[in-house]
Amino acid sequence: MALDIDFVRGQFPAFSEPSLNGQAFFENAGGSYTCKPVIDRLTRFYTQRKVQPYGPYEASRLGGAEMDEARTRMAALLGVEADELSFGPSTTQNTYVLAQAVRQWMQPGEAIVVTNQDHEANSGPWRRLAEDGIEIREWKLDPESGHLNPQALEDLLDERVRLVCFPHCSNVVGEINPVTEITAIAHAAGAFVCVDGVSYAPHGFPNVGELGPDIYLFSSYKTYGPHQGCMVIRRALGELLPNQAHFFNSDVLYKRFTPAGPDHAQIAACAGMADYVDQLCDHHGGPASGAVARGAFVHDLMRAHEVELLQPLLDAVKDRNAVRLIGPSDAAKRAPTVALSLEGAAEPVAAELAKHGIMAGGGDFYAVRALQAMGVDPARGVLRLSFTHYTSEAEIDQLLDALDRVL
């Protein structure tokens, strides 16, 4: 079944906002529009539940229940247990907390594998552990294609490697990495796995339980929700790592890596993301039950629509003179996050596109190491054109017309 794009766009107030009329949004990799169920839940919490949660009075009880609902329903979508999902202020903050726990757990001389394909959030915090005697081994991307070769990872693994960190897909390369295959390679060598899913999750929530990593991170403000970082830590690793929260919260798995007081309202509003998945599933005749099955159905709807819209964009830019397409030219192999290296600086080109109603960005997008490895000057940056399932064919046409005028 094809995605009903009119129904989809009807769930996002931004598409009926007069000030955005005629503007096509192509910087979704930096943050998505927010769906109505999330906005409704956030409004309700701030107007009816803005008290300390989990107390004996009704407003407090309901506030806590809505926070618990968000964790329970989102964990079910992701195929993990409810207490294996934590919320924090951002993915970068969550990773720094994790890195502190790993710092206390690992011994000098042990090793972590990182990539130079990652956003800095899943690279920098781990690399800093070298200050404590942890060996950092870099799994390098191919400088021409940006590809991460799983066979090259095997050459980096031995009994000293305790953790392998890599992205589900890079926010500039866009290629979807084979998480299950890479995880199996790392696990076979005795290492745990941390996957940055920030650039993949907006295109369909993954079944983390099936994929197999020990840690999976993504940002809800890029998956149509509030500004939170979502962090899955599977029980075997979560109970092994030292507690980072108050000592009296150490026996609650989802609290162990949340050292600061959480944002109650935004956590509660995250249940709106599950509401939205349910709306799409029901409207398109998906499975009647089973959170994972319903999420997988919606995931496939989103991806099919995105691939159909992405291929014409890739075809239009891949052979242009003075334009280098970063990553695969086959839409089925990548997320709809398209980075273009130009002859000059990218940011002025993004400003020119804005004159044609295209909202896009130019810069390094916190992927400095990846750009440098591919021979792109981070100061010059790349033009990034990113969209998601709510993007329409008409908006793609608008983008292609603007690119013809500007490039």
Side-chain angles (χ1 to χ4, degrees):
M1 176 178 290
L3 187 72
D4 183 345
I5 190 65
D6 292 331
F7 176 82
V8 166
R9 290 166 74 90
Q11 312 313 309
F12 288 85
F15 292 115
S16 57
E17 167 55 40
S19 67
L20 295 174
N21 186 41
Q23 303 292 303
F25 186 36
F26 283 96
E27 192 24 352
N28 289 273
S32 67
Y33 284 147
T34 308
C35 63
K36 190 174 185 298
V38 168
I39 296 170
D40 288 346
R41 283 180 177 269
L42 194 61
T43 300
R44 182 174 67 189
F45 199 97
Y46 274 125
T47 54
Q48 300 177 32
R49 322 273 191 248
K50 193 63 180 75
V51 294
Q52 195 67 12
Y54 301 107
Y57 47 97
E58 189 67 355
S60 177
R61 184 189 69 78
L62 290 171
E66 290 178 9
M67 293 171 65
D68 291 344
E69 179 190 359
R71 179 174 292 102
T72 299
R73 292 180 64 197
M74 287 305 302
L77 266 178
L78 298 168
V80 300
E81 296 298 318
D83 65 347
E84 293 179 317
L85 176 63
S86 303
F87 296 97
S90 70
T91 293
T92 301
Q93 291 272 29
N94 284 342
T95 310
Y96 268 98
V97 172
L98 278 176
Q100 175 62 17
V102 170
R103 182 194 304 273
Q104 298 169 347
W105 170 62
M106 290 182 64
Q107 300 296 317
E110 294 180 330
I112 294 175
V113 174
V114 299
T115 84
N116 60 353
Q117 193 194 59
D118 275 277
H119 182 290
E120 190 65 13
N122 197 36
S123 181
W126 305 117
R127 291 173 187 268
R128 292 188 182 193
L129 300 191
E131 300 167 4
D132 293 88
I134 305 301
E135 181 188 356
I136 304 300
R137 302 180 184 178
E138 188 174 73
W139 179 14
K140 298 181 185 295
L141 55 76
D142 180 274
E144 293 298 322
S145 66
H147 175 68
L148 277 178
N149 186 348
Q151 291 182 340
L153 171 63
E154 296 189 55
D155 296 335
L156 297 173
L157 296 175
D158 58 29
E159 69 281 355
R160 290 191 296 160
V161 175
R162 305 299 300 277
L163 184 67
V164 175
C165 307
F166 66 93
H168 200 154
C169 68
S170 159
N171 69 327
V172 290
V173 177
E175 181 177 7
I176 299 171
N177 292 317
V179 172
T180 301
E181 176 188 350
I182 296 169
T183 297
I185 292 170
H187 282 174
F192 290 105
V193 170
C194 175
V195 174
D196 178 355
V198 170
S199 293
Y200 184 87
H203 312 294
F205 291 114
N207 183 342
V208 177
E210 184 176 73
L211 288 175
D214 306 284
I215 303 167
Y216 193 92
L217 305 141
F218 68 95
S219 300
S220 62
Y221 67 95
K222 299 182 181 184
T223 57
Y224 333 114
H227 199 111
Q228 287 283 279
C230 300
M231 175 169 58
V232 170
I233 307 181
R234 303 312 303 272
R235 191 175 314 282
L237 179 58
E239 293 181 347
L240 187 63
L241 292 176
N243 171 48
Q244 300 301 301
H246 299 308
F247 74 91
F248 45 78
N249 284 329
S250 63
D251 60 342
V252 181
L253 183 56
Y254 73 84
K255 293 183 179 181
R256 287 173 64 85
F257 306 100
T258 310
D263 190 316
H264 304 146
Q266 293 198 67
I267 291 174
C270 283
M273 300 187 295
D275 291 339
Y276 176 57
V277 169
D278 283 342
Q279 287 178 344
L280 291 188
C281 186
D282 292 340
H283 178 79
H284 291 88
S289 61
V292 166
R294 287 167 65 81
F297 176 82
V298 171
H299 169 284
D300 292 348
L301 273 176
M302 290 178 171
R303 281 292 296 150
H305 176 77
E306 290 174 349
V307 169
E308 183 178 353
L309 267 59
L310 177 57
Q311 195 60 59
L313 172 59
L314 297 175
D315 292 342
V317 299
K318 67 180 181 181
D319 296 323
R320 281 180 179 264
N321 292 330
V323 173
R324 176 188 175 190
L325 170 64
I326 304 295
S329 58
D330 181 352
K333 295 181 179 179
R334 65 179 299 153
T337 300
V338 180
L340 304 177
S341 177
L342 311 176
E343 287 188 322
E347 193 169 347
V349 178
E352 285 298 312
L353 286 174
K355 298 176 183 178
H356 300 276
I358 301 298
M359 295 186 282
D364 61 47
F365 301 103
Y366 299 88
V368 173
R369 299 177 199 273
L371 295 182
Q372 288 175 329
M374 291 185 287
V376 178
D377 181 0
R380 193 179 72 203
V382 290
L383 176 68
R384 191 171 71 175
L385 309 168
S386 55
F387 65 92
T388 187
H389 72 286
Y390 54 53
T391 302
S392 68
E393 185 176 355
E395 288 173 326
I396 295 292
D397 290 341
Q398 182 180 348
L399 172 61
L400 293 177
D401 180 68
L403 290 173
D404 283 338
R405 296 171 183 270
V406 169
L407 293 182

